[in-house]
């Protein structure tokens, strides 16, 4: 196995093997580059025209971080159409594992043999076989996660890669005459309309990637996830419980409702009460179409929004507030301000009732400083939920290529997250994008938490929550338990048990619950306080799920997360899933305590706290 870099200059001869139109890898520049130096963490190549490519591969805590730096040390402009974050050749593999993703159905594992993809070597070792996947736009987790694991089933060896890229990206698996290559990074000019022009003396650095080796899929995923280095606010380090009122008021957070909610949550172990969308409502329009101005509603909060934040704090809770500050709804004042919104070929980018601020502009930063940061600071909010409900698409004007315009814009958004943290270092930031569309490492590193999904009231919640263990830190994965007064105790326990797959977040009709229903929630909060260290620090050694159809799951799921001498076993039954066979997962453990319902029926949830015999 060898690390190197894939790159292409405009005008290069394309690779043979019938790749032209599918891949820009294997270009004339790559074929003719020479290795000029090599160390433990970097290989330096020189192109035949004098360009320098530094291929970094630095090992940190059992993970290798890779990136490429292109340096134009010639006297002419260089137009690069491809530059990989990682490129590895000499791999032996016969299977691949990927994480698929759509709205409210994130992270479903797709495991395939290379032969199922028609990737076996041809009879004459001619013709390159390729599987290419990725996404274009500003939602990096749409259709696929930027993640790949290759398996050598004969040797029991696994190689995993995770890209830290929040704009358009691509990953390629190639079979070249029996040798497996992989490469990935920013989506290239063919796939993502990206190219970069570098003047003499200029350089360009790719997003990074993480590479891990292991003896199982679980081991590789655990290494990749633990290599992520999130910015966790100090107040959030002990994984406190959240209450978000969205599924209580559905975008109509009145001061009376918030007051009643805060009273109900006082002294329960909940730390955050988050006001979700709609707090800026006017007489006309819904919460979705009014995003962008960020002026608190006078009808909802006659005395200003600070009053409601103070009410929340008076009950011992930290107040939180929802924003979608990168976008504008069609009733926002800035909707037609073409000088400050993103355009494509001169036209405003309009998608699903959204337009997009040009986050690269100082004017936009100053506007958001006034409407977002100052509001949060003046009212003393301690929690910020950042949502993002549409996609820019393949690119934006303002750079040498549409794809580069997109990359710059997305990077400016990430930098604004950092800017908020610098201005308000105490603030807990939640990363949300219609649920899970931004669950990739570079965005996870600028937030304390993330919405695992928008699957708030479906039966697939445990499945999606378990999927996240392979992709993000469970300590950051906020799982909603939306409690309804018409739910029986088994349904309440089903939802609460799923929250033990990450961060416990409550919502719903908490004032209308029966005494028994509310006591289940209080018991879950207390139980969570005793086991959250396992969620935070443990190793997910098993995810067993028989369900195939997430809209109508059947069978059962069992997730085992182990930490030192303890473990959590979270089990859910689906349709026809009563009494699941979990005995093998209990081997070597004693059951210390449990939470939830007996698993003798459909749609039940139960959590076991285990200790080694």
């Amino acid at each position: 196995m060898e690390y190197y870099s894939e790159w292409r200059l405009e005008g290069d001869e394309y690779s043979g093997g019938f790749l032209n139109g599918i891949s820009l890898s294997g270009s004339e520049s790559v074929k003719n580059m020479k290795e000029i130096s090599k160390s433990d963490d970097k290989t330096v190549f020189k192109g035949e025209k004098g360009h320098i490519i530094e291929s970094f591969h630095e090992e940190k805590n059992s993970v290798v971080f890779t990136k490429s730096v292109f340096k134009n040390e010639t006297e002419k402009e260089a137009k690069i159409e491809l530059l990989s974050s990682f490129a590895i050749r000499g791999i032996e593999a016969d299977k691949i594992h990927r994480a698929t993703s759509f709205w409210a159905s994130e992270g479903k594992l797709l495991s395939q043999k290379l032969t199922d993809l028609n990737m076996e070597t041809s009879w004459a070792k001619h013709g390159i076989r390729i599987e290419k996947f990725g996404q274009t736009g500003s939602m990096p987790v749409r259709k696929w996660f930027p993640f790949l694991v290759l398996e050598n089933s004969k040797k029991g060896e696994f190689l995993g890669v995770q890209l830290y890229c929040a704009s358009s990206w691509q990953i390629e698996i190639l079979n070249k005459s029996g040798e497996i290559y992989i490469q990935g990074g920013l989506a290239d000019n063919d796939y993502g309309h990206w190219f970069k022009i570098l003047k003499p003396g200029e350089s360009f650095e790719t997003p990074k990637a993480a590479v891990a080796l292991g003896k199982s899929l679980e081991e590789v995923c655990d290494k990749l996830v633990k290599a992520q280095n999130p910015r966790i606010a100090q107040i959030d380090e002990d994984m406190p419980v959240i209450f978000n009122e969205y599924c209580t008021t559905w975008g109509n957070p009145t001061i009376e409702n918030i007051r009643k909610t805060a009273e109900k949550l006082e002294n329960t172990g909940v730390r955050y009460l988050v006001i979700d969308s709609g707090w800026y409502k006017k007489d006309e329009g819904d919460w979705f179409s009014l995003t962008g101005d960020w002026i608190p509603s006078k009808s909802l909060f006659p005395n200003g929004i600070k009053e409601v934040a103070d009410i929340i704090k008076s009950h011992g809770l930290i107040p939180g507030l929802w924003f979608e500050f990168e976008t504008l709804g069609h009733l926002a004042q800035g909707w037609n301000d073409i000088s400050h919104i993103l355009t494509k070929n001169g036209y405003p980018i309009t998608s699903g009732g959204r337009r997009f601020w040009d986050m690269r502009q100082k004017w936009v930063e100053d506007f958001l400083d006034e409407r977002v940061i100052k509001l949060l600071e003046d009212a003393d909010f301690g929690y910020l939920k950042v949502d993002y409900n549409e996609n820019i698409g393949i690119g934006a004007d303002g750079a040498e290529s549409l794809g580069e315009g997109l990359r710059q814009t997305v990077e400016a958004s990430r930098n604004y997250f950092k800017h908020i943290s610098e201005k308000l270092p105490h603030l807990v930031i939640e990363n949300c994008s219609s649920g899970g569309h931004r669950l990739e490492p570079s965005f996870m590193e600028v937030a304390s938490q993330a919405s695992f999904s928008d699957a708030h009231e479906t039966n697939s919640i445990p499945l999606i929550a378990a999927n996240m263990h392979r992709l993000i830190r469970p300590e950051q994965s906020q799982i909603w338990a939306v409690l309804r007064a018409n739910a029986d105790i088994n349904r309440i326990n089903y939802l609460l048990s799923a929250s033990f797959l990450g961060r416990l977040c409550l919502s719903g009709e908490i004032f209308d619950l029966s005494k028994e229903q509310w006591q289940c929630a209080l018991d879950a909060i207390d139980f969570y306080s005793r086991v959250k260290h396992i969620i935070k620090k443990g190793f997910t050694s098993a995810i067993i799920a028989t369900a195939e159809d997430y809209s109508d799951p059947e069978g059962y799921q069992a997730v085992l997360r182990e930490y030192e001498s303890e473990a959590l076993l979270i089990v859910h039954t689906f349709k026809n899933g009563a009494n699941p066979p979990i005995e093998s997962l209990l081997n070597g453990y004693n059951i210390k305590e449990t939470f939830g319902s007996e698993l003798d029926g459909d749609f039940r949830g139960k959590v076991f706290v285990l200790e080694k015999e």
Side-chain angles (χ1 to χ4, degrees):
M1 184 178 107
E2 178 188 16
Y3 293 97
Y4 72 110
S5 285
E6 284 282 355
W7 56 290
R8 185 179 193 275
L9 289 174
E10 185 182 49
D12 273 359
E13 179 183 336
Y14 294 92
S15 170
F18 317 115
L19 274 190
N20 190 8
I22 302 177
S23 173
L24 295 181
S25 64
S27 69
E28 176 184 0
S29 289
V30 172
K31 289 177 181 177
N32 295 331
M33 69 185 182
K34 305 295 183 185
E35 183 181 306
I36 60 174
S37 69
K38 189 171 186 176
S39 63
D40 289 341
D41 59 3
K42 183 172 71 172
T43 304
V44 181
F45 301 95
K46 187 172 184 177
E48 62 179 348
K49 296 178 182 178
H51 304 102
I52 299 297
I53 301 87
E54 297 177 331
S55 173
F56 288 84
H57 37 84
E58 183 179 3
E59 185 171 357
K60 294 181 181 178
N61 300 323
S62 301
V63 169
V64 175
F65 286 98
T66 69
K67 64 181 180 182
S68 295
V69 176
F70 182 98
K71 295 181 177 181
N72 185 8
E73 298 188 355
T74 73
E75 296 179 354
K76 296 181 179 180
E77 282 188 346
K79 181 176 178 180
I80 50 175
E81 298 186 304
L82 165 69
L83 185 63
S84 63
S85 292
F86 69 90
I88 308 172
R89 54 195 174 196
I91 300 169
E92 295 182 24
D94 60 335
K95 293 181 181 178
I96 63 171
H97 305 273
R98 292 179 284 181
T100 64
S101 191
F102 287 111
W103 181 81
S105 188
E106 293 86 351
K108 191 173 186 179
L109 190 68
L110 177 63
S111 300
Q112 297 168 296
K113 295 179 181 179
L114 290 180
T115 52
D116 291 338
L117 293 166
N118 200 16
M119 289 276 287
E120 56 265 56
T121 308
S122 70
W123 67 275
K125 294 190 175 181
H126 181 59
I128 296 171
R129 309 296 171 91
I130 181 170
E131 176 69 9
K132 182 171 185 171
F133 67 103
Q135 81 84 35
T136 52
S138 53
M139 288 177 159
V141 177
R142 180 183 62 168
K143 175 62 176 172
W144 302 102
F145 277 76
F147 159 91
L148 171 69
V149 175
L150 290 90
E151 177 182 351
N152 183 335
S153 60
K154 293 180 180 179
K155 294 184 178 180
E157 297 174 347
F158 293 76
L159 183 155
V161 183
Q162 195 165 37
L163 266 173
Y164 288 56
C165 184
S167 56
S168 299
W169 60 268
Q170 65 184 36
I171 293 177
E172 298 179 355
I173 310 108
L174 304 102
N175 181 346
K176 296 184 178 183
S177 301
E179 184 178 15
I180 302 299
Y181 289 58
I182 59 172
Q183 73 97 355
L186 290 167
D188 60 34
N189 195 14
D190 278 5
Y191 189 68
H193 299 259
W194 179 86
F195 61 82
K196 183 74 180 172
I197 296 175
L198 298 176
K199 296 178 181 178
E202 291 185 336
S203 62
F204 179 79
E205 181 177 309
T206 68
K208 67 182 177 182
V211 181
L213 302 175
K215 295 296 184 182
S216 67
L217 176 67
E218 293 78 13
E219 180 186 356
V220 164
C221 290
D222 186 70
K223 287 180 178 180
L224 292 174
V225 165
K226 287 177 177 170
Q228 297 170 18
N229 184 30
R231 179 259 173 201
I232 307 289
Q234 186 175 358
I235 193 70
D236 202 46
E237 288 181 351
D238 63 339
M239 295 174 58
V241 178
I242 310 103
F243 185 93
N244 184 302
E245 56 76 46
Y246 181 68
C247 291
T248 307
T249 71
W250 299 110
N252 188 38
T254 65
I255 193 167
E256 293 79 12
N257 187 281
I258 299 301
R259 188 194 308 275
K260 187 167 62 168
T261 302
E263 290 172 353
K264 183 77 171 181
L265 295 175
E266 185 173 2
N267 297 321
T268 61
V270 174
R271 184 172 297 170
Y272 308 117
L273 172 48
V274 181
I275 302 170
D276 212 281
S277 60
W279 55 267
Y280 43 83
K281 287 177 69 173
K282 300 176 184 176
D283 294 336
E284 295 182 359
D286 56 19
W287 71 263
F288 192 83
S289 58
L290 285 163
T291 56
D293 295 335
W294 310 122
I295 299 172
S297 169
K298 293 187 180 298
S299 59
L300 292 175
F301 312 113
N303 300 316
I305 203 165
K306 186 178 187 302
E307 180 183 33
V308 74
D310 288 342
I311 289 170
I312 293 170
K313 288 186 289 183
S314 73
H315 291 281
L317 302 163
I318 294 173
L321 196 62
W322 178 99
F323 278 91
E324 190 185 340
F325 56 69
E326 296 152 86
T327 71
L328 305 93
H330 75 270
L331 294 179
Q333 293 175 3
W335 178 261
N336 292 314
D337 187 359
I338 197 169
S339 61
H340 300 304
I341 62 177
L342 290 179
T343 62
K344 178 184 170 187
N345 300 325
Y347 294 94
I349 298 172
T350 307
S351 180
R354 283 287 186 269
R355 287 182 176 173
F356 306 86
W357 288 122
D358 187 341
M359 297 295 291
R360 298 167 292 185
Q361 293 188 13
K362 182 65 165 59
W363 185 95
V364 173
E365 181 180 323
D366 291 343
F367 173 83
L368 295 179
D369 283 357
E370 176 68 24
R371 297 294 176 91
V372 179
I373 294 178
K374 189 174 187 300
L375 189 156
L376 293 168
E377 187 173 27
D378 289 351
D380 196 24
F381 281 92
Y383 186 109
L384 167 64
K385 176 177 179 177
V386 184
D387 211 338
Y388 186 77
N389 285 311
E390 257 307 332
N391 198 313
I392 292 169
I394 63 170
D397 297 332
E400 57 265 59
S401 62
L402 289 174
E404 175 61 8
L406 173 72
R407 187 198 68 81
Q408 291 176 3
T409 299
V410 170
E411 189 61 21
S413 290
R414 285 188 61 253
N415 287 337
Y416 195 75
F417 275 67
K418 297 177 185 177
H419 174 67
I420 294 172
S421 295
E422 290 167 358
K423 294 290 185 181
L424 303 174
H426 69 286
L427 195 68
V428 177
I429 298 178
E430 176 190 336
N431 167 33
C432 178
S433 178
S434 284
H437 284 106
R438 277 181 164 172
L439 298 179
E440 61 80 38
S442 73
F443 255 98
M444 293 306 302
E445 290 197 333
V446 295
S448 283
Q449 303 182 31
S451 299
F452 87 116
S453 180
D454 266 356
H456 297 317
E457 302 195 66
T458 73
N459 288 327
S460 60
I461 290 172
L463 294 162
I464 300 167
N467 291 341
M468 290 305 102
H469 281 227
R470 302 186 183 100
L471 300 158
I472 65 173
R473 288 175 174 258
E475 69 187 280
Q476 290 188 279
S477 185
Q478 187 184 115
I479 319 296
W480 285 41
V482 180
L483 307 180
R484 298 293 179 206
N486 63 1
D488 64 21
I489 291 302
N490 289 328
R491 176 64 179 176
I492 296 287
N493 283 331
Y494 182 88
L495 297 170
L496 290 168
S497 296
S499 292
F500 287 84
L501 291 161
R503 297 290 299 269
L504 175 56
C505 177
L506 299 175
S507 191
E509 302 163 346
I510 59 170
F511 347 97
D512 301 322
L513 299 177
S514 70
K515 184 176 180 180
E516 183 185 16
Q517 289 170 322
W518 183 234
Q519 189 59 51
C520 281
L522 296 177
D523 290 346
I525 293 168
D526 184 55
F527 191 88
Y528 174 83
S529 70
R530 298 195 297 275
V531 302
K532 60 187 177 181
H533 64 286
I534 305 174
I535 301 171
K536 182 174 183 176
K537 299 177 182 179
F539 165 58
T540 302
S541 59
I543 301 175
I544 301 170
T546 63
E548 296 181 356
D549 183 345
Y550 278 27
S551 62
D552 187 23
E554 295 192 32
Y556 76 100
Q557 176 178 274
V559 179
L560 183 65
R561 188 160 176 87
E562 301 177 283
Y563 176 65
E564 295 182 346
S565 61
E566 301 174 284
L568 272 183
L569 177 61
I570 303 108
V571 184
H572 286 82
T573 66
F574 310 122
K575 186 168 66 176
N576 302 320
N579 301 309
I582 60 171
E583 292 77 14
S584 63
L585 296 173
L586 295 170
N587 285 343
Y589 284 106
N590 293 315
I591 299 173
K592 185 178 179 182
E593 58 178 321
T594 63
F595 170 85
S597 300
E598 294 305 312
L599 301 172
D600 54 359
D602 295 349
F603 298 105
R604 307 289 177 87
K606 189 170 186 177
V607 183
F608 300 78
V609 183
L610 309 175
E611 56 184 3
K612 288 185 178 178
E613 294 176 347

